[in-house]
Amino acid sequence: MVLTGFMGAGKSTLGARVAQELGWRFVDLDEEIVRAEQQSIADIFDTAGEASFRKLENIALTMALKQDRLVLALGGGALETEANRRLLADDPATLLLYLAAPLEILIARCEQQARLQPQAARRPVLEKREVLRERFLRRKPLYESAHWMIETTAQEPDAIVQAVLARWREHTSGASFAHNE
Ligand code: S3P
């Protein structure tokens, strides 16, 4: 199962909880990149640039999708890379879930996280406020091409986790795989 959505969507927090409920492994794609490169995401952006980060992200995704019984949280920009979209589409075992919220809510969540956890990783894409809305709008249709979407704004994390698990059970019981049904 793969979770997508913009920064602040809750991919890592909710993904870890869903994995725990399923007894599966949880992998955060950003953390895999940090581990492989021994460098923070912000440092990779600063020294090598975003294009290099996207290549590393693609390699990390290729590796991650080889594993079964895995809940994978993508970085918010992973679907912008066409090769990543193809990898996900070509993997019949992948159920892609989109955690959605309006941009203002997402920014507020990221800011709150930065306040509450000052040691948390810097988000270089979030720092470029002048192009944030443009990025969000560009990505929206890509997120919306996921198999399923859940609006996270008005729901408690527990309810979202339960909804994701219910969607997964529906999927494994042979329900259709159509997009956004
Ligand atoms: C990015 C989102 C980040 C991380 C990198 C780029 C983006 O992941 O991959 O900083 O382009 O939106 P999160 O969505 O987990 O914050």
Side-chain angles (χ1 to χ4, degrees):
M1 183 192 308
V2 179
L3 299 181
T4 188
F6 207 62
M7 294 168 286
K11 304 178 292 288
S12 305
T13 311
L14 298 169
R17 291 178 58 173
V18 169
Q20 195 180 17
E21 293 283 335
L22 290 169
W24 289 5
R25 257 190 88 206
F26 171 70
V27 167
D28 180 306
L29 201 60
D30 287 341
E31 282 174 15
E32 294 298 290
I33 299 166
V34 169
R35 194 177 23 233
E37 296 306 303
Q38 293 292 303
Q39 237 186 332
S40 72
I41 302 286
D43 283 347
I44 298 170
F45 267 73
D46 289 348
T47 57
E50 180 168 349
S52 299
F53 170 76
R54 297 298 169 200
K55 285 191 190 131
L56 297 172
E57 190 175 46
N58 175 254
I59 295 166
L61 180 63
T62 307
M63 303 294 285
L65 289 179
K66 293 191 198 305
Q67 302 172 57
D68 290 331
R69 296 168 66 84
L70 179 82
V71 177
L72 175 67
L74 298 180
L79 291 190
E80 282 206 64
T81 305
E82 205 216 330
N84 291 347
R85 298 200 295 276
R86 230 178 308 120
L87 272 176
L88 291 163
D90 288 350
D91 184 352
T94 297
L95 183 69
L96 183 62
L97 306 183
Y98 167 33
L99 302 177
L103 182 60
E104 291 65 30
I105 301 275
L106 294 161
I107 294 174
R109 284 187 195 154
C110 291
E111 284 174 346
Q112 190 191 27
Q113 191 189 7
R115 261 196 314 276
L116 297 177
Q117 301 166 280
Q119 78 289 359
R122 248 182 66 214
R123 287 178 157 121
V125 167
L126 185 72
E127 290 166 1
K128 291 197 179 161
R129 285 302 162 93
E130 64 288 356
V131 290
L132 205 58
R133 180 166 296 278
E134 189 188 309
R135 281 212 198 235
F136 177 72
L137 293 177
R138 190 168 68 220
R139 290 174 182 180
K140 214 159 167 270
L142 304 175
Y143 297 143
E144 286 169 354
S145 71
H147 297 112
W148 189 67
M149 150 177 160
I150 181 161
E151 171 53 57
T152 62
T153 312
Q155 299 200 63
E156 293 298 322
D158 275 348
I160 301 169
V161 168
Q162 290 312 316
V164 169
L165 291 170
R167 180 63 184 82
W168 174 253
R169 278 185 224 111
E170 200 182 297
H171 164 60
T172 51
S173 70
S176 111
F177 216 80
H179 283 219
N180 281 324
E181 73 249 44

